[in-house]
Amino acid sequence: MNVLDGTGWSLQSLTSGPWIYAAVTTSILLDVFLPVLPSGILVVTAATAASAASASAAGTLGAAGTAAGVPYAPALLPLLLCAASASVLGDLAAYRLARRGGDSRLGRAVARSRRLSAAQERLGETLERGGGLLVVLARFAPAGRSVVSLGAGATGRRLRDFLPWSALAAAIWATYGVGLGWLGGRWLGATWLGACVPVLALFLAGSLAAYVIRRPAAAPAPAG
């Protein structure tokens, strides 16, 4: 069944107005502080609806947001820009907040957590070596963005070492999410399956990223 033609709980009901851009932006901005927010799911769902609607309308939308009777759906490029920009701005806000209050309750809470302390230490070592793969991977891992952004600020890492990798991570994450939605909408249409398969792929990427991050580093070879 085509969800765009379905009942109340449909992709159309979730993306039926320009407000979807504000919803995506707000969700991504806040999920660095509240990782339970489904920002990734929202991005993928909106992109799926956009892809299916553009295909149904032969790639055209009217000035009022409809074309050939196809309900309003967000455009892919603005959706991508909103997702990437909101991700960077959210990271920067978390970094600044943690930087200013690194010795407050946030710092003490991190110090009490072996997992967060280890993640911060590994982040610092990675940034000091000039590498940022950890920052990119953490953007996909559950709560990884929070650990990285807050950790970078709380431990006093330089913004110029952190921000470029945050921007790269945001661009890759947003492109991946929107790309998944685009493929789902093109291949499976605006159906529940078309939305669920890309969301599942997003979760699999997050699980893989979490596994790579948590994997113990290889022990250095003994001196000969």
Side-chain angles (χ1 to χ4, degrees):
M1 182 181 71
N2 189 322
V3 176
L4 287 176
D5 297 328
T7 57
W9 296 103
S10 65
L11 293 186
Q12 179 184 359
S13 68
L14 294 175
T15 61
S16 59
W19 65 267
I20 189 63
Y21 298 115
V24 166
T25 300
T26 302
S27 178
I28 296 172
L29 279 172
L30 294 179
D31 79 355
V32 69
F33 303 104
L34 299 171
V36 296
L37 291 178
S39 59
I41 296 176
L42 189 57
V43 169
V44 170
T45 302
T48 302
S51 176
S54 64
S56 299
T60 61
L61 285 173
T66 60
V70 177
Y72 180 90
L76 290 170
L77 182 57
L79 182 64
L80 175 63
L81 293 176
C82 283
S85 299
S87 183
V88 175
L89 291 176
D91 288 356
L92 183 59
Y95 172 89
R96 290 296 189 187
L97 178 64
R99 184 71 180 265
R100 293 174 181 175
D103 57 350
S104 64
R105 288 185 301 173
L106 174 63
R108 292 193 296 271
V110 170
R112 287 195 299 267
S113 171
R114 287 185 299 175
R115 177 177 295 181
L116 293 180
S117 298
Q120 283 189 2
E121 182 179 355
R122 189 173 178 187
L123 169 66
E125 293 173 353
T126 300
L127 293 178
E128 287 176 353
R129 292 197 305 267
L133 179 59
L134 176 63
V135 179
V136 177
L137 287 174
R139 187 59 187 86
F140 289 83
R145 178 189 180 202
S146 302
V147 171
V148 166
S149 300
L150 293 171
T155 54
R157 300 300 165 188
R158 295 179 301 180
L159 182 61
R160 67 184 183 186
D161 291 333
F162 168 69
L163 190 57
W165 291 107
S166 171
L168 177 62
I172 294 175
W173 176 82
T175 301
Y176 181 73
V178 172
L180 286 176
W182 181 85
L183 289 174
R186 289 285 170 164
W187 290 351
L188 301 173
T191 63
W192 288 120
L193 184 62
C196 288
V197 170
V199 168
L200 178 60
L202 187 68
F203 280 126
L204 289 176
S207 298
L208 178 60
Y211 169 77
V212 172
I213 290 173
R214 294 171 183 170
R215 186 177 58 185

